[in-house]
Amino acid sequence: MMHRYWSLLLIPFIFSCAASRHYDPNKKYPSSELQEDFTLLRNVLEEKHPSLYWYTSKDSMDVLFDQSFQTISDSMTELQFGWEVLAPVLAGIRCGHTGFGMSKDWNRFIKNRQIPSFPLFLKVWKDTMMVIGNLNQKDTVIQRGDFVHSINGVSAKEMIAKMFSYMIKDGDANNVNYVRLSNNFPYFHRNIYGLYQNYMVSFSDSNGNMKNHVVPYFSPTSDTSKTNTASIKKQKVRKPSRQEKLQQTRSLKIDSSYALMTLQSFSKGNLRSFFRRSFKEIKAKGIKHLIIDLRENGGGEVKRYVLLTKYLRNTPFKVADSVYSIEKNFKPFTNRISNGFFNNLSLLFSTKKQQDQYYHFGYWEKTFFSPKHRNHFDGKIYILTDGLTFSASALFCKTLKGQENVTLIGEETGGSGYGNSGIMIPDINLPNTKMRVRLPFFKVVQFEHGEKNGRGVMPDIEVPTNWRDVLNRVDTQLEVVKKLIQEEDN
């Protein structure tokens, strides 16, 4: 029998607590304080969240709120409160911008620390989980490329479904959570299932042979952590230059037959000058094929995606058919909202109540943006998408989808194809635990939106996961685009 060990979550902290005198991760908050935090959160969401009942009915949300409140019957640590109480109720809203964050003290404390966890990194898609890494380097039984069928008797299908019930998303666009699990399966498994001293893993190897193996949890030792800390202090790590940081955020690479523009954000990277230089260079070199990689672009500033769209869209467009809030300010919760006073002031001048009794952000609803004439790109455009293509980057995809020279390639975006909640997204600051919950203030219905079916923006050419390419570190989707370009040129 496998035994669950919640206390083991904090093993590495035993030797390091002296280094953080003002924060104790083992501290348990009394149920009365946790209930106070939860009640405040519920009140704010019910009064201010514009899309609380967009995908989940009020009756269902009321049940979820009540059930979550009832789980606060005893004291909890901050970590337990976040994952056992907040995570399920926020996931139930089905809004990808409404998630919780740990307190600032927790984040400072955990920075650069490793904590015990399930040791296997898994690539997750559909009902499949494939090993891509192992924190227990001495364990050679389970190999990269093996397929995991169950952990502690829980099947892969059942496990993925449960983990999704703790993870936020837009509507039913679960592709974002497949990517999140693939990027850090140990993190989510530890926080959702807890920690076990040993795990019974049922798996099959590359030849299809079924096997069972008991896998110990990964635990950095105190000695190792002390050594690593001392080593880090002694090492002189070269900081990346400003230009290197910019290249990590956005880049342009020009091949003889195409240009590849990679954008990881619509917020950072001096994008205005980057776009101007990039499209000038693309035109000067006579490039006829442009690939835009948005597979790690979680969104950012609306005005930046609008700017990029101007270089690519052939007809005028606007951001949304409707952008509105259900309230005109954050009162009476202003003191619990990050930058509450200034946000209220901004809303006073940017919104106006209309006949539907909602407060509309008229600029994004009414303003049509015209395509640029100078350095406008008129060749073939290929946009790479996956689950991490979210928020503003999903709006960008939807605005260009259907244009004759545009092809979306890859996987369904994590951001909704109908609309989302955002524009202004401050934090709700919980008074006792100091945890934070993001509060999108406006409901955004996408320009030229289709049916509200809960899905993301669908690719024109779907390129699903190819497990052999994953093992060989081949970029399947990019290779598909290169082949299309080659065929086009021939």
Side-chain angles (χ1 to χ4, degrees):
M1 179 180 291
M2 302 295 172
H3 297 283
R4 194 179 189 186
Y5 290 87
W6 278 107
S7 60
L8 292 180
L9 285 169
L10 303 178
I11 282 180
F13 300 154
I14 295 174
F15 62 84
S16 58
C17 282
S20 182
R21 299 176 181 177
H22 303 293
Y23 182 76
D24 178 10
N26 298 293
K27 175 184 176 180
K28 287 198 171 185
Y29 294 85
S31 58
S32 59
E33 292 185 0
L34 301 175
Q35 290 170 353
E36 180 184 352
D37 277 7
F38 186 84
T39 300
L40 170 67
L41 174 62
R42 178 174 183 173
N43 289 339
V44 175
L45 292 175
E46 289 180 334
E47 292 189 33
K48 305 297 181 180
H49 197 293
S51 308
L52 188 61
Y53 311 120
W54 208 0
Y55 291 105
T56 305
S57 69
K58 184 180 186 307
D59 288 343
S60 297
M61 281 306 308
D62 286 345
V63 170
L64 190 53
F65 277 127
D66 291 341
Q67 289 177 341
S68 296
F69 184 84
Q70 290 170 8
T71 63
I72 312 173
S73 58
D74 201 354
S75 59
M76 294 181 179
T77 65
E78 180 183 337
L79 189 67
Q80 289 172 323
F81 181 59
W83 283 96
E84 293 185 20
V85 180
L86 299 186
V89 75
L90 296 178
I93 301 173
R94 294 154 75 189
C95 168
H97 284 112
T98 310
F100 78 91
M102 304 295 286
S103 69
K104 293 180 181 180
D105 285 339
W106 166 273
N107 289 334
R108 281 191 291 266
F109 187 88
I110 202 68
K111 186 177 181 180
N112 297 325
R113 284 189 171 92
Q114 288 183 305
I115 65 176
S117 67
F118 177 76
L120 301 179
F121 282 87
L122 306 175
K123 171 66 178 177
V124 182
W125 73 99
K126 295 183 178 180
D127 297 330
T128 305
M129 301 192 302
M130 183 180 73
V131 178
I132 55 176
N134 191 341
L135 290 170
N136 290 333
Q137 298 180 5
K138 295 181 179 180
D139 182 0
T140 60
V141 176
I142 298 182
Q143 299 290 320
R144 192 169 183 272
D146 291 344
F147 290 89
V148 172
H149 300 287
S150 69
I151 300 172
N152 290 348
V154 181
S155 70
K157 180 178 181 179
E158 180 183 353
M159 190 178 310
I160 294 168
K162 178 175 179 178
M163 295 172 89
F164 278 1
S165 70
Y166 287 75
M167 302 169 72
I168 61 174
K169 61 183 178 182
D170 274 353
D172 297 315
N174 260 322
N175 204 31
V176 63
N177 287 327
Y178 281 114
V179 181
R180 287 169 177 160
L181 288 180
S182 298
N183 286 344
N184 201 343
F185 189 88
Y187 168 82
F188 288 103
H189 192 276
R190 178 188 71 237
N191 287 315
I192 294 170
Y193 278 92
L195 189 71
Y196 293 79
Q197 192 169 25
N198 293 292
Y199 300 85
M200 176 60 73
V201 178
S202 175
F203 68 100
S204 57
D205 60 23
S206 57
N207 295 318
N209 299 314
M210 291 295 299
K211 300 178 181 180
N212 293 306
H213 179 53
V214 176
V215 178
Y217 73 95
F218 168 73
S219 177
T221 65
S222 59
D223 290 337
T224 300
S225 298
K226 287 178 179 178
T227 301
N228 289 342
T229 301
S231 176
I232 291 172
K233 289 182 179 179
K234 291 180 180 179
Q235 291 177 359
K236 291 183 177 181
V237 180
R238 186 184 73 85
K239 293 184 178 180
S241 67
R242 179 176 179 275
Q243 190 60 36
E244 288 173 334
K245 289 181 179 179
L246 288 174
Q247 285 294 107
Q248 292 171 1
T249 303
R250 84 293 184 274
S251 64
L252 179 72
K253 298 179 181 178
I254 294 184
D255 187 84
S256 57
S257 58
Y258 65 86
L260 171 60
M261 179 180 289
T262 301
L263 298 170
Q264 295 190 348
S265 171
F266 276 115
S267 292
K268 302 176 181 179
N270 296 337
L271 292 180
R272 180 174 294 277
S273 60
F274 171 72
F275 292 151
R276 183 173 62 249
R277 293 193 309 271
S278 295
F279 284 101
K280 182 179 179 180
E281 182 179 1
I282 288 170
K283 185 173 183 178
K285 294 186 176 180
I287 300 298
K288 301 300 181 183
H289 301 277
L290 172 61
I291 306 169
I292 301 178
D293 189 350
L294 299 179
R295 289 174 296 177
E296 294 186 13
N297 192 315
E301 297 181 21
V302 171
K303 61 183 179 181
R304 295 294 179 246
Y305 105 71
V306 168
L307 178 59
L308 177 58
T309 308
K310 288 181 179 181
Y311 284 99
L312 305 172
R313 173 126 173 165
N314 295 333
T315 57
F317 64 97
K318 60 179 181 176
V319 168
D321 287 329
S322 63
V323 181
Y324 63 85
S325 62
I326 59 177
E327 291 284 343
K328 64 179 179 180
N329 54 46
F330 292 98
K331 296 178 181 178
F333 309 108
T334 302
N335 65 330
R336 295 301 178 194
I337 303 296
S338 59
N339 299 314
F341 172 80
F342 294 103
N343 282 330
N344 283 347
L345 192 62
S346 174
L347 291 167
L348 179 64
F349 294 102
S350 61
T351 62
K352 184 177 180 180
K353 192 174 185 179
Q354 296 189 6
Q355 291 182 350
D356 58 7
Q357 303 304 305
Y358 295 130
Y359 297 84
H360 287 253
F361 201 135
Y363 179 76
W364 297 125
E365 289 183 340
K366 299 176 181 178
T367 304
F368 273 87
F369 302 94
S370 298
K372 284 183 174 291
H373 295 292
R374 188 175 185 180
N375 296 325
H376 187 275
F377 184 78
D378 298 311
K380 293 285 187 178
I381 302 168
Y382 309 86
I383 303 175
L384 298 178
T385 65
D386 69 359
L388 293 183
T389 309
F390 200 80
S391 193
S393 61
L395 295 177
F396 169 81
C397 292
K398 186 65 171 63
T399 306
L400 285 172
K401 182 178 172 65
Q403 186 167 292
E404 185 178 4
N405 64 331
V406 174
T407 304
L408 271 62
I409 297 179
E411 301 173 353
E412 175 186 1
T413 68
S416 171
Y418 179 81
N420 58 45
S421 300
I423 303 295
M424 178 183 286
I425 315 177
D427 287 336
I428 306 168
N429 299 308
L430 304 183
N432 297 307
T433 59
K434 309 302 180 186
M435 298 180 74
R436 296 159 292 165
V437 176
R438 299 185 80 202
L439 174 64
F441 200 65
F442 288 93
K443 177 184 286 189
V444 181
V445 178
Q446 168 77 33
F447 172 59
E448 295 181 342
H449 62 275
E451 178 187 3
K452 185 171 76 71
N453 58 8
R455 302 303 298 272
V457 182
M458 306 303 293
D460 299 308
I461 300 176
E462 183 177 7
V463 183
T465 298
N466 182 314
W467 66 270
R468 290 185 176 85
D469 283 353
V470 172
L471 290 182
N472 293 322
R473 295 180 173 86
V474 173
D475 189 334
T476 312
Q477 296 164 354
L478 183 58
E479 290 303 314
V480 168
V481 177
K482 290 180 180 179
K483 185 176 180 180
L484 288 175
I485 293 174
Q486 187 177 29
E487 292 173 352
E488 182 80 19
D489 289 342
N490 293 336

